[in-house]
Amino acid sequence: LTDDSLFHCGFTIASDVGTIGLSEQEALRLREYLLKGGFLWVDDFWGTAAWEQWSGEIHKALPEFPIADIPPEHAIRHEMFNIGELKQTTNIQNWRRTGSTSERGSDSAHVDFKMIADEKGRIMVVMTHNTDTGDSWEREGEDHEFFVEFSPPGYSLGMNVLLYAMTH
């Protein structure tokens, strides 16, 4: 976050932010990046403890901006594909071992699709909590059943988020 090349990236993704710790300098740079028009999508963090860690750290960068649910009518849900409920995508090893999509049992039973928007309503941060959307893109060649189950909704969400970030 302290590298100046960050400001050449209009779209960034972070995974497993439930373990993140931002220094004061990193929080200030992330704030500057986001307020200048940057976009951050965080994904693949599960359960209450990870949510509390992440939300506490992102508030170091954006203390005055609340985290909110992304409502069904929001443009990000309709950029290219109409997305109602987000499908919970687990990592492929958990799916093979358990057949379940919840990696933390009842503590991660449903997907959260949240945002932090600026004062004009532009989303700066998208959060997909209790799901691993990235795995829906990574496992195409490994397991046909996993691909068929998770990739179409994962790619749809990814395209919508990317198009929104690049056009707003």
Side-chain angles (χ1 to χ4, degrees):
L1 294 173
T2 59
D3 189 317
D4 288 338
S5 63
L6 174 66
F7 291 87
H8 296 284
C9 303
F11 180 90
T12 55
I13 297 177
S15 184
D16 192 16
V17 296
T19 60
I20 196 169
L22 296 176
S23 70
E24 185 176 330
Q25 182 183 16
E26 289 169 330
L28 288 172
R29 293 286 288 189
L30 179 57
R31 175 185 181 78
E32 182 182 4
Y33 166 76
L34 294 170
L35 292 177
K36 283 186 172 187
F39 187 94
L40 173 62
W41 180 2
V42 297
D43 183 53
D44 190 16
F45 62 116
W46 298 77
T48 304
W51 177 260
E52 289 173 355
Q53 178 67 26
W54 161 251
S55 61
E57 293 300 302
I58 192 62
H59 281 301
K60 288 180 183 179
L62 300 168
E64 74 276 32
F65 296 100
I67 294 173
D69 290 323
I70 299 177
E73 65 278 1
H74 196 281
I76 202 167
R77 290 181 179 259
H78 306 283
E79 286 296 312
M80 178 177 278
F81 301 98
N82 291 319
I83 297 175
E85 292 292 317
L86 270 65
K87 184 170 186 79
Q88 187 173 60
T89 303
T90 186
N91 71 70
I92 196 167
Q93 292 81 11
N94 183 65
W95 184 73
R96 286 176 174 160
R97 190 177 58 253
T98 69
S100 172
T101 58
S102 178
E103 292 188 13
R104 302 284 184 276
S106 63
D107 191 33
S108 63
H110 73 280
V111 177
D112 295 309
F113 191 34
K114 295 185 180 284
M115 67 178 175
I116 298 175
D118 67 16
E119 65 281 344
K120 295 178 183 173
R122 177 190 68 90
I123 296 177
M124 299 181 286
V125 182
V126 161
M127 294 156 266
T128 45
H129 173 242
N130 290 335
T131 191
D132 186 355
T133 305
D135 246 30
S136 73
W137 311 329
E138 299 168 6
R139 306 302 179 180
E140 184 172 333
E142 281 183 55
D143 189 304
H144 182 73
E145 287 181 48
F146 186 89
F147 173 76
V148 168
E149 182 72 22
F150 299 106
S151 292
Y155 279 116
S156 296
L157 178 61
M159 289 301 301
N160 277 21
V161 172
L162 177 63
L163 287 170
Y164 178 90
M166 296 290 111
T167 59
H168 289 78

